[in-house]
Amino acid sequence: MYKEVKSCRVCHSVKLKKYLDLGEQPLVNSLVENARKYPLQVLFCEECNLSQLSVVVNPELLYKDYPYHSSVSKTFQNHCRGMAIEAKSYFDDGYDPMVIDIASNDGCLLEQFKKEGYYTMGVEPADNLAKEANKKGINTVNAFWDRETATRVPACDVITATNVFAHVDDIRSFLSCVRGKLKVFSKGMLIVEFPYLPNLIEGNQFDTIYHEHLSYFLLKPIQILFDSCGLNIFRVDKTSIHGGSIRIWATPYSREVEPSVQAVLDEEEKNGYYNLNTYLNFSNNVEFVKRQLKEKLREIAMGMETVMGYGASAKGAMLLNVCGIEKHDIISIVDETPDKIGKVIPGIGIPIVGFEHFDVVQPDYILLLAWNFKKELILKTVNHKINRGQYIVPIPKVEII
Ligand code: DWN
Ligand code: ZN
C-alpha cells in the first residue's frame, strides 16, 4: 500500500530531517467516510534541500479513478491558454508544434493548446478522465508516463507536465522518458509547473501537503536533478495559480539561459530556504490555524448560525482533517464536479453537494476550501445572489470577509 522513503529522491542522501508531522491522514481524493489513513510527515534533505514526504502511497491507489477535473475552473483554463501562447512564441511562424501533456486530466490544458493550432496528445492514468478527454476529441492515452507509454507516443516539440511532477516518485525515469521524445530539429522543450515551496511556507498553505504531493520543490533541487538528467533549464516564471506556482522551461538542446533562473536561485538562498530552521518555524504557524478554525466554527455554532463549504478540493479535505473538524461543524460542501457530488469528505463524512444546495440552505457563512480560486468562487455566489452570508477564508490565517 505504501513504502517508506529512506533516501532523497533527487540526490540519494540519507541526511533527511523531519520538520512537519501532520499525523495519520486519509487520501484526499478517497471520498468515503472511513477512508484508510497513512502517515503524513515532511522531511528536508540537508544535501540538496528537497522537501519530501516520508512515505510513497501506491499510485494505482491514488490515480486510477480520479475525481478532480481541472476544467471546472475558468481561472485555470485562462492560465492554460497563456501557457499555450507563450510556448508558441519559441517556434517559427506557420509551424504548428506537437505537444504531449503528461497527466492531462480531462484535457483542460490541451484544449487551449489546440485553439492555438498545436497538434495534441494527452497521457492520463485515470480511466474516468482519459475517457472524458477522448470523448471531447482530445486524443488521450490512458496510462502512467513511463518507458512503455513513451514508446506509444510520437516525438514532439513540447512536453507539458503541470501539477504532476510533485506527484512522481521516480522523477529520473520520468525525465529520461521525456528527454527521448523531444525533437532535435525544433529544439523541443519540457514545461513543468507545480506549486512553489516558498509560497507554501509564506502563505501557510499546509493544507496542500498530502499523500499525492511527494515533493515540495525549490528551484535548487530541480536544477541539480535536471542537470544530472541532461536537461538545461533556460527560463523560470513565477505564476499565481494554485496559491503560487513555478513554471520551469527546459530542453536537452542548447538555448540561451534567461536571467530569471539565477534570480530565483539567489532569492531562495537569500530568504533562507536552504536552511532547516525556516521550515521548523513554519510548523508553529500550522498549529495556529488549526486552533483558529476550530474556534471560529465553534463560535458560529454557539450563535446558532450555519456554515457550508465551497470547493471540495483535495486541500480542503486535508485542512478539515488536520484541523479536527467534525461532521456536525459544517452542513455540507458545494462542489461543481459531477464526480464528487454525492460523495463525502474522506475521514469525516461531510456530504459533497451540488451548487443548488446554497439556495436550499442559504448559509450564514461559506468556508472557502478552494481559497486559491477565492475570486472565482465569490463571484459565482454573488452572481447567483447567494450573498447573504459572509465568507471564511482559512489560509494563511482564518479571516472573515
Ligand atoms: O496537484 C493538485 C492540484 C493542482 O489540483 C492535485 N493533487 C489535486 C488538485 O488539488 P485541489 O483539489 O486542492 O485543487 P483545486 O483546483 O483547488 O480544487 C478546487 C475544487 O473546487 C475542485 O473540486 C473544483 C471546485 N470548484 C468548483 O466547484 N467551482 C472550483 C471552482 C473554481 C468553481 O468555480
Ligand atoms: Zn537531496
Side-chain angles (χ1 to χ4, degrees):
M1 288 290 195
Y2 74 89
K3 64 176 188 192
E4 278 178 29
V5 169
K6 301 273 187 237
S7 62
C8 172
R9 180 167 297 117
V10 164
C11 73
H12 307 304
S13 164
V14 291
K15 288 194 302 197
L16 301 176
K17 291 272 147 58
K18 180 168 77 181
Y19 67 79
L20 187 67
D21 189 344
L22 294 174
E24 296 250 323
Q25 298 298 346
L27 305 180
V28 280
N29 279 309
S30 162
L31 304 177
V32 292
E33 185 166 352
N34 59 352
R36 183 179 163 172
K37 296 187 177 181
Y38 299 82
L40 190 59
Q41 300 176 348
V42 189
L43 314 174
F44 175 74
C45 172
E46 291 192 302
E47 287 295 333
C48 75
N49 306 152
L50 179 73
S51 287
Q52 52 209 301
L53 287 194
S54 64
V55 295
V56 176
V57 175
N58 181 353
E60 292 278 337
L61 214 63
L62 293 168
Y63 305 117
K64 273 320 270 177
D65 182 30
Y66 201 59
Y68 178 71
H69 293 233
S70 35
S71 289
V72 172
S73 164
K74 279 263 166 309
T75 313
F76 190 66
Q77 287 177 22
N78 293 339
H79 175 78
C80 295
R81 186 60 176 273
M83 188 190 290
I85 293 168
E86 292 215 28
K88 194 114 192 253
S89 69
Y90 284 92
F91 297 93
D92 293 339
D93 282 349
Y95 178 68
D96 291 330
M98 166 84 200
V99 59
I100 292 175
D101 186 29
I102 301 177
S104 49
N105 198 275
D106 59 3
C108 177
L109 182 121
L110 288 179
E111 276 183 302
Q112 303 305 324
F113 274 72
K114 220 173 171 179
K115 283 185 195 152
E116 290 305 311
Y118 290 75
Y119 296 98
T120 65
M121 180 172 270
V123 175
E124 169 54 51
D127 301 348
N128 59 322
L129 296 172
K131 197 163 157 200
E132 183 178 327
N134 278 315
K135 225 191 223 163
K136 283 199 284 196
I138 303 292
N139 188 7
T140 303
V141 178
N142 183 196
F144 284 95
W145 177 249
D146 56 21
R147 281 188 204 293
E148 198 273 319
T149 306
T151 62
R152 293 162 61 195
V153 301
C156 62
D157 305 285
V158 180
I159 294 185
T160 48
T162 61
N163 300 308
V164 59
F165 203 57
H167 301 57
V168 177
D169 187 20
D170 190 350
I171 39 189
R172 283 177 190 281
S173 158
F174 184 100
L175 290 178
S176 103
C177 296
V178 162
R179 202 174 178 277
K181 283 286 146 187
L182 293 172
K183 284 182 191 165
V184 183
F185 80 88
S186 68
K187 290 195 175 178
M189 61 177 74
L190 166 68
I191 308 172
V192 202
E193 190 173 283
F194 38 76
Y196 186 41
L197 181 59
N199 293 107
L200 187 160
I201 301 290
E202 282 153 36
N204 201 22
Q205 300 165 0
F206 65 88
D207 53 345
T208 63
I209 297 172
Y210 47 84
H211 303 94
E212 292 179 12
H213 295 160
L214 300 176
S215 306
Y216 301 84
F217 287 113
L218 298 169
L219 180 56
K220 182 182 170 190
I222 285 282
Q223 175 86 287
I224 293 171
L225 174 75
F226 277 42
D227 276 353
S228 68
C229 293
L231 286 162
N232 310 313
I233 298 175
F234 61 91
R235 169 177 168 181
V236 174
D237 306 326
K238 289 190 186 168
T239 85
S240 61
I241 203 75
H242 289 306
S245 297
I246 191 161
R247 181 181 296 167
I248 288 165
W249 303 66
T251 177
Y253 310 109
S254 63
R255 270 189 196 275
E256 193 185 331
V257 179
E258 298 186 17
S260 55
V261 180
Q262 193 53 49
V264 171
L265 289 169
D266 290 346
E267 196 180 50
E268 286 179 354
E269 177 150 37
K270 189 178 111 218
N271 292 332
Y273 288 107
Y274 304 157
N275 187 332
L276 178 62
N277 286 334
T278 304
Y279 303 93
L280 291 169
N281 291 338
F282 160 73
S283 57
N284 297 332
N285 299 339
V286 176
E287 290 307 314
F288 180 65
V289 169
K290 274 165 75 171
R291 267 199 312 275
Q292 262 196 319
L293 187 63
K294 195 92 186 126
E295 273 164 24
K296 188 72 220 169
L297 294 184
R298 196 141 291 155
E299 199 184 299
I300 291 171
M302 301 274 275
M304 305 302 279
E305 292 183 302
T306 52
V307 184
M308 279 176 79
Y310 194 5
S313 55
K315 64 178 81 60
M318 193 42 60
L319 180 88
L320 299 173
N321 273 281
V322 170
C323 295
I325 303 306
E326 293 165 69
K327 208 173 185 171
H328 59 259
D329 289 327
I330 296 175
I331 294 180
S332 54
I333 295 174
V334 165
D335 200 287
E336 286 150 282
T337 313
D339 282 355
K340 292 189 181 180
I341 296 169
K343 309 221 168 107
V344 300
I345 294 296
I348 307 178
I350 301 168
I352 302 173
V353 298
F355 193 88
E356 67 286 357
H357 281 250
F358 274 139
D359 276 328
V360 180
V361 179
Q362 288 284 329
D364 298 299
Y365 289 89
I366 297 176
L367 172 60
L368 298 175
L369 292 166
W371 45 261
N372 45 321
F373 294 125
K374 183 167 75 182
K375 272 198 197 137
E376 195 173 338
L377 298 186
I378 291 179
L379 195 68
K380 270 196 190 162
T381 55
V382 170
N383 285 346
H384 285 79
K385 309 218 177 329
I386 304 155
N387 50 353
R388 182 167 82 89
Q390 291 173 289
Y391 301 93
I392 308 172
V393 186
I395 300 288
K397 60 182 175 24
V398 177
E399 270 186 313
I400 307 293
I401 56 169

